Amino acid sequence: GSALSLSAGPPSDGTDNLAFSPSGDALAAGRSDVEVDVWSIPSGRLLRTIPTDVSHELKTARIQGRTVETFETVTGLVAFSPTAEMAVAGRDDVIRVHRAASSPPREIRSTKADELAWSRSGDRLATKGRWVHAIDVIDPVDGRRVRRIEPGHTLWSIAFVPGRKELAALCGTDERTWVGIWPQDGEGEPRTIEVALGPDERCPALSISGDGGRLAIASGSRIRVWSLADGTLRGAIELVGEIRHLALGTDGTWLLAAVDSSLRLLDLPD
């Protein structure tokens, strides 16, 4: 794979959230300082930076009988709509939908999230709760919650399935890891794809290609790719460094991975 060249370079503290515009001509990267950078592709020119909120949230915890104050780092979150609107979220419980740099964003109230997804049809936003293992599916026009999905297990990452009114979520327990695929509206049980991860693999991230054909999961220094149609494993890529996030390309033949403090373009296995 090759490194993606950006005019100002990736932030030194790393990139934790990636999203391509529907046309593929822009890349949005959420940072650990809770800002979102938007880059032109393939020129790598920085188009704009969107501040979302302060970068740390004060929390208290009881440790060995004492009350200790800690700060939790919150990443700038971003998702694109089919019309290239950007949904951006930070520390608070508001999603801000940006159209153009010159116009103020539209606000949607939501639970505090640590991941956003926007369906390719544009009619649904999804948030993964920061402290609650639940997914809220939202109408982006009026902000109404149309469905809450509670897998009942650890919830790591979410993505809409292009071309289908479905939402995928990477879930797990100590014994197994799987991708559940739910109808995005109404009720219904999920279909599942088993994706065994090793005990040392942590904080996995999920992405689905724009054609709906491939599913990729990054964990630790490894990326694995499955066929979404039949759940077969198509291949794996080993990298040096910790993969913080990934985004599959539109046709499912390449991906962009945030590895430590760099961004890498990679061809996928056939």
Side-chain angles (χ1 to χ4, degrees), residues 125-199:
L125 266 172
T127 66
K128 179 173 77 71
R130 188 178 304 163
W131 298 312
V132 178
H133 292 300
I135 306 164
D136 286 337
V137 183
I138 301 168
D139 184 325
V141 175
D142 58 17
R144 175 177 53 90
R145 188 175 75 189
V146 298
R147 181 172 191 189
R148 168 163 280 197
I149 298 171
E150 297 178 284
H153 303 284
T154 300
L155 178 61
W156 281 306
S157 191
I158 60 173
F160 281 99
V161 181
R164 305 175 64 94
K165 289 187 176 294
E166 293 180 327
L167 180 69
L170 181 60
C171 309
T173 65
D174 290 339
E175 289 76 32
R176 60 184 285 252
T177 311
W178 70 96
V179 174
I181 302 174
W182 283 265
Q184 69 180 33
D185 299 330
E187 302 299 323
E189 293 301 312
R191 58 189 177 97
T192 61
I193 297 174
E194 296 293 325
V195 289
L197 299 180

Side-chain angles (χ1 to χ4, degrees), residues 14-92:
T15 298
D16 292 303
N17 197 263
L18 296 170
F20 282 108
S21 66
S23 60
D25 61 353
L27 168 71
R31 308 196 323 234
S32 298
D33 56 4
V34 199
E35 289 187 335
V36 172
D37 290 330
V38 185
W39 310 85
S40 173
I41 300 298
S43 71
R45 180 171 58 90
L46 181 63
L47 300 175
R48 63 188 294 203
T49 295
I50 302 172
T52 61
D53 210 328
V54 297
S55 60
H56 301 284
E57 182 162 340
L58 181 66
K59 298 177 67 178
T60 60
R62 295 286 294 179
I63 301 176
Q64 295 180 343
R66 296 183 179 182
T67 299
V68 178
E69 291 184 342
T70 62
F71 285 89
E72 178 188 36
T73 300
V74 182
T75 299
L77 307 174
V78 62
F80 275 102
S81 79
T83 56
E85 291 179 301
M86 279 187 297
V88 173
R91 182 184 66 84
D92 58 13

